[in-house]
Amino acid sequence: MKAFDFVILGSGVAGLTTGLKVAEHGTVAIVTKRKPNDSNTAWAQGGVACVTSAEDSFELHIQDTLTAGAGLCDPEAVRTIITEGPKAIQSLVDLGVHFDERVLEGGHRELDLGREGGHSKRRVLHYHDTTGREIEQRLLDAVARTANITVLEDHMGVDLITTGKLGFTTEDRVVGIYVLNEATGIVESIRTDRLIMATGGCGKVYLYSTNPDVATGDGVAMAWRAGASIANMEFIQFHPTCLFHPEEKSFLISEAIRGEGGKLVDAFGREFMARYHKLGALAPRDIVARAIDAEMKRTGAKCMYIDITHKPAHFLQERFPNIFETCARLNIDISRQPIPIVPAAHYQCGGIKTDLNGATTLRGLFAIGEVACTGLHGANRLASNSLLEALVLAGRCAEGLLKPKYSKYHNDVDLPEWRPGQAQHVDEMVVIFHNWDEIRRLMWDYVGIVRTNKRLQRASTRLRNLQREIQEFYWGFKITTEVLELRNLCTVASLIVDSALARKESRGLHFTLDYPDMNELHFHRDTILKRY
Ligand code: SIN
């Protein structure tokens, strides 16, 4: 049986940074269900929000974060993560990560800071519009140089093994994990007493998403089944500007384009954001996404547009090479024509409830990055705060993991072997793909940007039936990545619906026509779900 001091699930910024920080204290496995750079991090365009300029201050960044979070941020989490940001950025720079700079008069250089919705200052460090790719690559290079780290690619976590599940009467804690090795089709048991969930979010639970295919909510689903508390899953952030094109379904048009003066317009070139918010196209994301949704519904249009044609082609090519080239390949010259866009699911603001060391309510289980809910985002995440959170929490989690409070538990538990189901029948695969589509469409139609009780109830009933069907499948047949992802997707969809039904008000990203106002008296609190 494989055994590691630290098992990390996920190979984005959160998982890789934690792995690098704990590797000198023990053996580390980084388990990743596809290739290591198949992560949400690698797709991040905007950058990392961090106070680095003399014109900015921690207080302003804190205030912007609290405002976006619509009263639900944890002020201590906000202050800690924002004030520890510069140190976390320095560790990236030490690893060789580049951020764009600009040359001032006299030849001095300073960071070229971007601006995004909800930020009162320019404070987003970026590398062109491929910041995530740059960070991911440097972290992977460092991992490759680190002897104590084993990367298990094409391996997917199935379920946590806990003392409770094994029937022990002592305190419930993690003692290992079942992992599907895709190459062999065998489910292996890995022993560990410190498991770090860094699996990212669940964008693929919706029909339209800016996320890569790997974002199927695996971490939240596994933690839920193991009994950890899950918080605020109703707050799913829809990015206002996903490219609308049949050949590129998940391509993001970064908010940084609006930071450079990009205007939101309809098919006739008419701006509409001034009718919705005083900050216009740079209003917080929930407001912009709802405004676009409302304009599309009002006019029957299939999309709206973002117009950056006031900027010269050479500027756009240099600042946004990825967007410029992707659009050009699709015959959209962004220096001459507006870019068609629609809102799409982008970020999970809730997740596995953690403290500021990434510790969850289940002993031995830690969570960092999008999969976690630290309290930073509240009811709506401020743009580019997520990479910041992942970096700071990875450092804090690594330190926490070495503290006596979490230090090694004498784990000599015999992990039972996985009992595989029966052989898989090819004709049943159609059920899996059908259920995948059904979940994603029903979430889009009934649990999207604007919700109602009736739609949520409908989604809940349908998901319960699907859950039963998927469970039968899960126990009856040999498991595959598709079956596991479908099971997780359905679990996470249900958690989103249950949380949305529990919040009888509108706040931040959760907007329902049945309770259109904020209710400070009864709902100024997190939504916490716990299985047992
Ligand atoms: C963007 O570039 O618009 C995305 C940034 C983020 O979601 O934080």
Side-chain angles (χ1 to χ4, degrees), residues 14 73 127 137 171 190 195 223 227 270 282 300-301 325 330 338 403 407 432 442 468 488 497 505 511:
C73 299
Y127 180 71
Q137 197 47 55
E171 182 198 23
I190 300 182
L195 195 133
R270 293 178 299 220
L282 281 175
E325 277 150 34
L330 301 168
K403 285 186 184 158
S407 66
I432 296 180
L442 83 84
R468 265 197 300 276
N488 292 337
V497 172
E505 64 159 356
F511 183 79

Side-chain angles (χ1 to χ4, degrees), residues 43-48 116 119 124 129 210 237 239-241 252-258 285 323 346-347 381-387:
W43 283 35
Q45 294 184 1
V48 192
E116 292 175 18
H119 288 276
V124 181
D129 57 352
T210 63
Q237 186 170 70
H239 197 292
T241 59
L252 182 70
I253 303 297
S254 176
E255 201 156 298
I257 291 249
R258 277 175 279 142
R285 235 174 236 183
I323 296 175
H346 183 61
Y347 194 87
R381 178 184 66 108
L382 185 66
S384 288
N385 263 358
S386 41
L387 290 178

Side-chain angles (χ1 to χ4, degrees), residues 5 119 125 212 216 331 341 388 417 501 511:
D5 293 313
H119 288 276
L125 285 75
T216 51
N331 294 322
I341 49 90
L388 177 75
E417 285 199 0
L501 280 166
F511 183 79

